[in-house]
Amino acid sequence: MPLYKEQQIKLYNSLTGKKEIFKPINEGHIGMYVCGPTVYSNVHLGNVRTFMSFDMVFRYLKHLDYKVRYVRNITDAGHLENDADAGEDKITKKARLEQIEPMEVVQRYTVDFHNVLRTFNFLPPSIEPTATGHIIEQIELISKIIDNGFAYEVNGSVYFDVHKFNETNDYGKLSKRKLDDLIHNTRTLDGQGDKKNPQDFALWKKAEPQHIMRWPSPWSDGFPGWHLECTAMSTKYLGDQFDIHGGGMDLKFPHHECEIAQNEAALGVSPVNYWMHANMLELNGQRMSKSTGNTVNPDELLSGNNAFFSKAYSPSVIRFFVAQSSYRSVLDLTDDGLLASEKGFYRLMDAVNLLDGLKASATSSIDIPAWKQKCYDAMNDDFNSPILIAHLFEAAKYINQIKEGQATLSTEDLNLLKETINSFVFDVLGLENATKSDSGTDKLSGAVDVLIRLRQDARANKDFAMSDKIRDELAEVGIQLKDGKDGTTFSVN
């Protein structure tokens, strides 16, 4: 029997503003779409945090034996500056500044995006469509919206008529914004003279003579609107209605709001049953911003070559840090936070690496099935990875108790413990196994091993004062020695 029949997920639906029991449209199958990057620059850590959250969701759904079609797009055209309907295309601008072809820009930063995600041990999506690969679908979608009376053409550009749409539908239901408030707060922007109303948004833009990226359409040589691209790609691969749509909190309005409107205007149905939004990543308590210099990219964080952090951190330590916060919470990236996560990560890995050496007993003194279900309960509660990690540390305590002879597990329970820990640590959280020596502390390990041998020699020579001195002085610097029947081991506190 598939695991999803035993485990019931409740997830927070941004559309309704509450947790709901998750029920896919087709039993055993899930369609999930996540807005991918606009590939005009290196992927930043805020993007990585969002994609990491949905990688964990994808992993857990697969772990529950769902067949998941995960679609994450690449925006390689149509995304104008400031997410508006005026200004220069972000990719075209980068190409002009560097005096290269736009598709060279796309290729460079798509490769960078994939390299970064591969470094952080992401699973690839099922499908990764590009906006430029779906121009025909976008033109067809615009034609449907025009035919249904919710769009109009002016001077070769096509705009979505938000006011007309709102007469029969609810524009703003995802972001909880009212059109009257939007009208009141809208300021006039250059380049919007063709619109009936400032709230209308572009479905197709006529290309100016200097605009490099352009395609023929019934209305003009031009390019699609940014919002339209995701509607076209999501419905092509997941159907008119699908289960989950994810993205960063900053996309809720206007991007995702416009996606809903486009789908309802063209196809007559709301596209998504469950909207999920990952929250923002801050750096030292402030918004990440290139203009203020309060930013660090993934390579700088991994290499330690930056002005914010005391050392380099491994990809798994960073994944562990991200998983210690709910995907819906603002996450503050700090050196103290990463140092604490690194310590916790290696403490967990130390326990995991003791598993194979544990010996089974005739009976169990720990209720492993109950502990296992607590792990599932955590993830079933809106993918609550911080609570899951707390339960994994509980298991680490069990492992050390068994090793020290303070607790016992039967063969069946020991195997269940191993299977469950491996599933959640590696398959669901996406961590990769490591030891303290992998973090650059192998010289420390070697030095402590020398002191352990000197202490053993002192004890053999009945020099107990020296033996105690070595133990006590190591303890003063946070290194605890543990004497057991299999020898002396140490841990760093």
Side-chain angles (χ1 to χ4, degrees):
M1 183 171 67
L3 265 176
Y4 64 78
K5 288 185 176 291
E6 302 173 12
Q7 308 295 334
Q8 186 174 76
I9 296 174
K10 290 184 73 175
L11 60 81
Y12 183 85
N13 190 348
S14 298
L15 186 63
T16 61
K18 60 184 181 182
K19 289 183 185 178
E20 299 176 357
I21 293 173
F22 176 68
K23 185 177 181 181
I25 296 170
N26 299 302
E27 183 182 335
H29 295 75
I30 294 174
M32 182 170 78
Y33 185 91
V34 172
C35 291
T38 300
V39 283
Y40 72 101
S41 64
N42 297 106
V43 62
H44 62 75
L45 278 170
N47 292 142
V48 171
R49 190 263 170 114
T50 295
F51 299 135
M52 196 174 286
S53 297
F54 288 106
D55 181 64
M56 181 186 67
V57 171
F58 181 38
R59 285 170 172 275
Y60 186 60
L61 295 176
K62 285 170 62 71
H63 172 73
L64 292 183
D65 300 321
Y66 281 111
K67 292 183 178 179
V68 187
R69 177 175 287 179
Y70 175 23
V71 182
R72 187 186 65 215
N73 74 296
I74 295 287
T75 295
D76 56 353
H79 194 163
L80 303 186
E81 294 178 281
N82 303 315
D83 302 340
D85 286 334
E88 195 169 5
D89 180 286
K90 293 183 177 183
I91 292 167
T92 300
K93 180 179 181 180
K94 187 77 168 185
R96 179 176 55 79
L97 291 173
E98 298 194 12
Q99 297 185 322
I100 58 177
E101 284 290 327
M103 282 300 138
E104 289 184 74
V105 174
V106 167
Q107 178 69 12
R108 175 190 301 172
Y109 294 114
T110 300
V111 169
D112 170 74
F113 174 66
H114 289 151
N115 286 340
V116 169
L117 266 55
R118 193 177 301 114
T119 298
F120 284 106
N121 196 31
F122 278 61
L123 296 179
S126 314
I127 303 172
E128 192 173 55
T130 63
T132 57
H134 295 78
I135 299 295
I136 292 174
E137 288 84 355
Q138 293 172 75
I139 291 173
E140 290 174 349
L141 199 60
I142 295 170
S143 297
K144 288 181 181 179
I145 296 173
I146 293 174
D147 291 344
N148 290 339
F150 295 113
Y152 55 91
E153 182 265 332
V154 180
N155 296 327
S157 294
V158 181
Y159 296 97
F160 189 95
D161 193 333
V162 170
H163 289 243
K164 177 72 172 177
F165 174 79
N166 202 56
E167 292 175 5
T168 53
N169 298 270
D170 183 9
Y171 182 79
K173 62 184 176 182
L174 177 65
S175 58
K176 311 300 184 286
R177 304 186 187 203
K178 297 296 182 184
L179 185 56
D180 288 344
D181 295 334
L182 294 172
I183 294 171
H184 178 73
N185 293 320
T186 298
R187 57 189 174 91
T188 301
L189 298 174
D190 292 338
Q192 294 193 345
D194 289 342
K195 297 182 181 182
K196 291 181 181 179
N197 299 286
Q199 296 76 33
D200 297 347
F201 57 89
L203 299 174
W204 187 266
K205 289 285 288 182
K206 180 181 179 180
E208 299 298 326
Q210 70 273 15
H211 197 98
I212 302 172
M213 303 181 78
R214 58 175 65 215
W215 292 265
S217 79
W219 313 285
S220 65
D221 280 2
F223 53 92
W226 172 43
H227 309 309
L228 184 75
E229 297 169 357
C230 284
T231 298
M233 289 183 280
S234 63
T235 55
K236 177 179 176 67
Y237 296 108
L238 299 175
D240 295 354
Q241 289 183 296
F242 53 95
D243 298 300
I244 297 172
H245 193 314
M249 193 75 75
D250 56 321
L251 297 180
K252 186 183 289 188
F253 186 88
H255 186 53
H256 291 161
E257 198 74 71
C258 293
E259 282 191 60
I260 293 175
Q262 290 165 163
N263 211 87
E264 292 181 349
L267 305 171
V269 293
S270 189
V272 181
N273 285 346
Y274 304 91
W275 285 89
M276 297 179 65
H277 291 92
N279 217 320
M280 310 303 290
L281 181 69
E282 294 181 343
L283 179 59
N284 294 323
Q286 297 182 344
R287 185 176 180 271
M288 282 198 182
S289 170
K290 290 182 180 178
S291 61
T292 63
N294 192 56
T295 186
V296 60
N297 67 37
D299 287 343
E300 290 170 339
L301 184 57
L302 292 168
S303 67
N305 185 24
N306 62 80
F308 299 98
F309 300 97
S310 60
K311 56 175 292 185
Y313 293 97
S314 74
S316 279
V317 166
I318 297 168
R319 276 197 79 118
F320 191 67
F321 171 78
V322 170
Q324 287 183 293
S325 176
S326 165
Y327 75 92
R328 289 197 292 121
S329 300
V330 174
L331 179 58
D332 188 15
L333 185 67
T334 66
D335 196 43
D336 286 345
L338 284 170
L339 285 169
S341 286
E342 183 178 61
K343 182 178 176 181
F345 170 75
Y346 285 111
R347 182 156 61 94
L348 181 60
M349 289 302 110
D350 284 347
V352 170
N353 291 323
L354 289 174
L355 272 170
D356 287 339
L358 297 182
K359 295 179 180 178
S361 301
T363 59
S364 296
S365 61
I366 304 167
D367 190 343
I368 295 301
W371 167 82
K372 173 185 174 181
Q373 188 55 48
K374 287 196 294 185
C375 293
Y376 280 103
D377 289 344
M379 289 301 290
N380 292 341
D381 182 17
D382 197 31
F383 310 99
N384 198 328
S385 54
I387 299 300
L388 169 64
I389 289 172
H391 295 318
L392 293 174
F393 278 128
E394 186 180 2
K397 183 179 73 174
Y398 297 157
I399 291 168
N400 284 299
Q401 287 174 342
I402 295 164
K403 181 177 180 296
E404 299 297 330
Q406 300 169 359
T408 60
L409 285 184
S410 66
T411 299
E412 181 181 358
D413 282 342
L414 182 56
N415 289 336
L416 182 62
L417 177 65
K418 291 177 182 179
E419 177 189 344
T420 306
I421 285 183
N422 285 325
S423 292
F424 281 104
V425 170
F426 303 120
D427 297 342
V428 175
L429 293 181
L431 304 177
E432 295 183 286
N433 204 346
T435 63
K436 286 190 176 70
S437 61
D438 296 326
S439 68
T441 59
D442 50 333
K443 292 182 180 179
L444 171 64
S445 298
V448 175
D449 286 340
V450 169
L451 290 170
I452 288 173
R453 288 196 296 271
L454 290 174
R455 180 170 175 263
Q456 288 170 341
D457 291 343
R459 294 174 76 178
N461 294 326
K462 300 188 185 303
D463 188 352
F464 299 113
M466 177 57 70
S467 170
D468 292 345
K469 182 179 176 64
I470 293 172
R471 181 198 63 203
D472 294 342
E473 292 196 6
L474 284 173
E476 286 180 8
V477 295
I479 298 172
Q480 300 291 331
L481 299 185
K482 296 180 181 179
D483 295 318
K485 59 182 180 180
D486 296 324
T488 301
T489 59
F490 78 93
S491 61
V492 181
N493 297 326

